[in-house]
Amino acid sequence: VEVGEPIRHQVVEVPKAPARVTEDQLHALQCKCGGVTRADLPEGVPTGAFGPRLGGIVAVLSGGYRLSKRAIQSLLRDLFGVEISLGSISGCEQAMSETLAPAVEEARAFVQQQAVAHADETGWREGRRRAWLWVAVTTFVTVFMIDRRRDMAAAKALLGAFAGILVSDRWKAYDFVDLVRRQLCWSHLRRDFQWISEHAGKAHHVGAALLAASNRMFHWWHRVRDGTMTRAEFRKAMVPLRRRVESLILDGTKCHQRKVAGMCWQLHQVSDALWTFVEVEGVEPTNNAGEQKIRPAVMYRKGSFGTHSAEGSRFVERMLTVVATLRQQNRNVVDYVTHASEAALLGLPPASLLPQSPPTALLAAA
């Protein structure tokens, strides 16, 4: 007599999958006039030696998983028995970069039109020159850009005529966005408060009090996020706390330590951008979203020391955009780049990177 439910034991295994080689033989015929006519490749067959999926895997291993060209070379040999030169890997990267360009430009335009965006930037190297990698993050789409500049012109190239609310640090490149449409990152502010508190005398007391106020704010904010405090209650509680913080910052401008007074004066000048998250739903008090999305790019830079050319930079920024965006939407990266390559062979644009499902479904999946 069977007792209870059977114990289920499942084992997942990956079958050995050697690469498949397809050969097309193009015959030639010579007519009586001496001319030679040769058959064309069938529609959708690459003119190069590598198919859409193999080219897509190369691009994802490089731009998504940050593997070196030699590591990709070894991995393809071990997994699929594919022999590929280092130059061919570079060729696959550039072909994929050109294929993805229209979809990435569409994604950039989409980000520029969103109600809320997080922006951040980090150092990069292009050739032997200093460059910067920028990121703009929205709920469903993230775009990257590599530029030689870390100024307002570069920020505008990334964000365009952005009319939403921008969450960022206090870097001056973002000053083209009005303070009433900005939210400065409170994680960065806490570092400033900590620095102020490490001074003696009045500065120490101001910094310590600002840290205590920020601790209280984050405690309430976490309660809002977990549902134990309503937004109405949060807004009401934040009124006296805001007055307290602004009073402390203004008090800090009168410190004898000139650097502390200067820091507090700068904070006083941007105080309107400290509290947007209190009034506007969908705005976070920190730029964690931007910093989290830029972290893989930092790891990429540490492993590769940047890019050697403008073409290499375009590949990196486009692949980072594709990988980050598709993962936000729970879409398969290898399948996407494979289909994009197949479309390119037929003269068609790649599929859109914009959300393909209703926002509620995407949020549930996330």
Side-chain angles (χ1 to χ4, degrees), residues 19-20 22 44-56 58 76 82-93 95 341 345:
R20 183 179 71 248
T22 302
V45 175
T47 57
F50 307 108
R53 189 167 185 84
L54 178 55
V58 168
L76 293 178
V82 171
E83 297 290 342
I84 185 171
S85 69
L86 300 179
S88 294
I89 292 175
S90 294
C92 289
E93 291 175 347
S341 295
L345 292 172

Side-chain angles (χ1 to χ4, degrees), residues 325-366:
T325 296
L326 294 178
R327 286 177 177 166
Q328 281 176 269
Q329 300 175 22
N330 286 323
R331 294 164 66 184
N332 187 285
V333 179
V334 174
D335 286 348
Y336 176 87
V337 296
T338 299
H339 296 154
S341 295
E342 292 170 344
L345 292 172
L346 300 175
L348 301 174
S352 175
L353 288 170
L354 306 189
Q356 302 296 299
S357 301
T360 51
L362 287 169
L363 286 170

Side-chain angles (χ1 to χ4, degrees), residues 222-298:
H222 293 152
R223 289 189 57 197
V224 171
R225 299 196 66 178
D226 65 23
T228 60
M229 187 178 196
T230 67
R231 286 198 67 89
E233 292 170 337
F234 177 67
R235 290 192 185 102
K236 183 177 179 180
M238 285 295 295
V239 171
L241 188 141
R242 175 175 178 171
R243 286 199 296 264
R244 170 72 170 158
V245 168
E246 291 180 346
S247 175
L248 286 167
I249 290 173
L250 195 57
D251 201 27
T253 64
K254 303 170 187 176
C255 289
H256 295 300
Q257 295 94 333
R258 190 167 63 177
K259 289 185 178 180
V260 171
M263 167 71 75
C264 290
W265 178 251
Q266 292 174 14
L267 295 176
H268 174 68
Q269 293 293 97
V270 297
S271 61
D272 285 343
L274 303 185
W275 315 102
T276 307
F277 75 100
V278 178
E279 301 299 330
V280 183
E281 285 198 59
V283 178
E284 293 282 328
T286 71
N287 195 27
N288 289 349
E291 294 187 355
Q292 288 170 1
K293 284 294 185 294
I294 212 168
R295 195 167 298 137
V298 173

Side-chain angles (χ1 to χ4, degrees), residues 113-341:
Q113 298 168 2
Q114 297 309 290
V116 180
H118 294 247
D120 201 2
E121 73 290 330
T122 187
W124 194 261
R125 300 288 297 183
E126 185 179 289
R128 296 183 178 181
R129 297 180 60 183
R130 185 70 181 269
W132 299 90
L133 185 139
W134 297 73
V135 66
V137 182
T138 64
T139 305
F140 301 119
V141 177
T142 293
V143 293
F144 289 84
M145 180 187 77
I146 296 175
D147 199 284
R148 291 282 177 84
R149 303 161 298 177
R150 196 195 178 199
D151 58 11
M152 192 176 294
K156 287 182 176 180
L158 175 69
L159 296 168
F162 184 70
I165 294 172
L166 181 67
V167 185
S168 70
D169 56 24
R170 291 192 295 115
W171 179 236
K172 60 186 178 181
Y174 304 114
D175 286 350
F176 70 96
V177 180
D178 293 338
L179 286 176
V180 293
R181 292 192 293 107
R182 291 186 65 184
Q183 173 60 57
L184 297 182
C185 176
W186 273 78
S187 292
H188 286 78
L189 291 173
R190 281 184 56 82
R191 297 172 202 170
D192 296 334
F193 299 161
Q194 179 64 41
W195 177 80
I196 294 171
S197 73
E198 291 169 356
H199 291 74
K202 182 176 183 179
H204 169 75
H205 295 294
V206 168
L210 287 170
L211 282 172
S214 68
N215 288 339
R216 193 174 304 115
M217 180 277 289
F218 274 115
H219 173 71
W220 291 338
W221 179 251
H222 293 152
R223 289 189 57 197
V224 171
R225 299 196 66 178
D226 65 23
T228 60
M229 187 178 196
T230 67
R231 286 198 67 89
E233 292 170 337
F234 177 67
R235 290 192 185 102
K236 183 177 179 180
M238 285 295 295
V239 171
L241 188 141
R242 175 175 178 171
R243 286 199 296 264
R244 170 72 170 158
V245 168
E246 291 180 346
S247 175
L248 286 167
I249 290 173
L250 195 57
D251 201 27
T253 64
K254 303 170 187 176
C255 289
H256 295 300
Q257 295 94 333
R258 190 167 63 177
K259 289 185 178 180
V260 171
M263 167 71 75
C264 290
W265 178 251
Q266 292 174 14
L267 295 176
H268 174 68
Q269 293 293 97
V270 297
S271 61
D272 285 343
L274 303 185
W275 315 102
T276 307
F277 75 100
V278 178
E279 301 299 330
V280 183
E281 285 198 59
V283 178
E284 293 282 328
T286 71
N287 195 27
N288 289 349
E291 294 187 355
Q292 288 170 1
K293 284 294 185 294
I294 212 168
R295 195 167 298 137
V298 173
M299 301 303 296
Y300 192 114
R301 180 193 65 206
K302 290 182 177 180
S304 65
F305 304 103
T307 45
H308 295 292
S309 64
E311 291 77 12
S313 294
R314 299 294 81 73
F315 167 74
V316 169
E317 67 186 18
R318 289 166 184 168
M319 279 304 302
L320 289 175
T321 295
V322 167
V323 171
T325 296
L326 294 178
R327 286 177 177 166
Q328 281 176 269
Q329 300 175 22
N330 286 323
R331 294 164 66 184
N332 187 285
V333 179
V334 174
D335 286 348
Y336 176 87
V337 296
T338 299
H339 296 154
S341 295

Side-chain angles (χ1 to χ4, degrees), residues 9-24:
H9 174 69
Q10 298 180 344
V11 177
V12 178
E13 180 60 287
V14 178
K16 186 174 181 180
R20 183 179 71 248
V21 178
T22 302
E23 179 178 284
D24 291 285

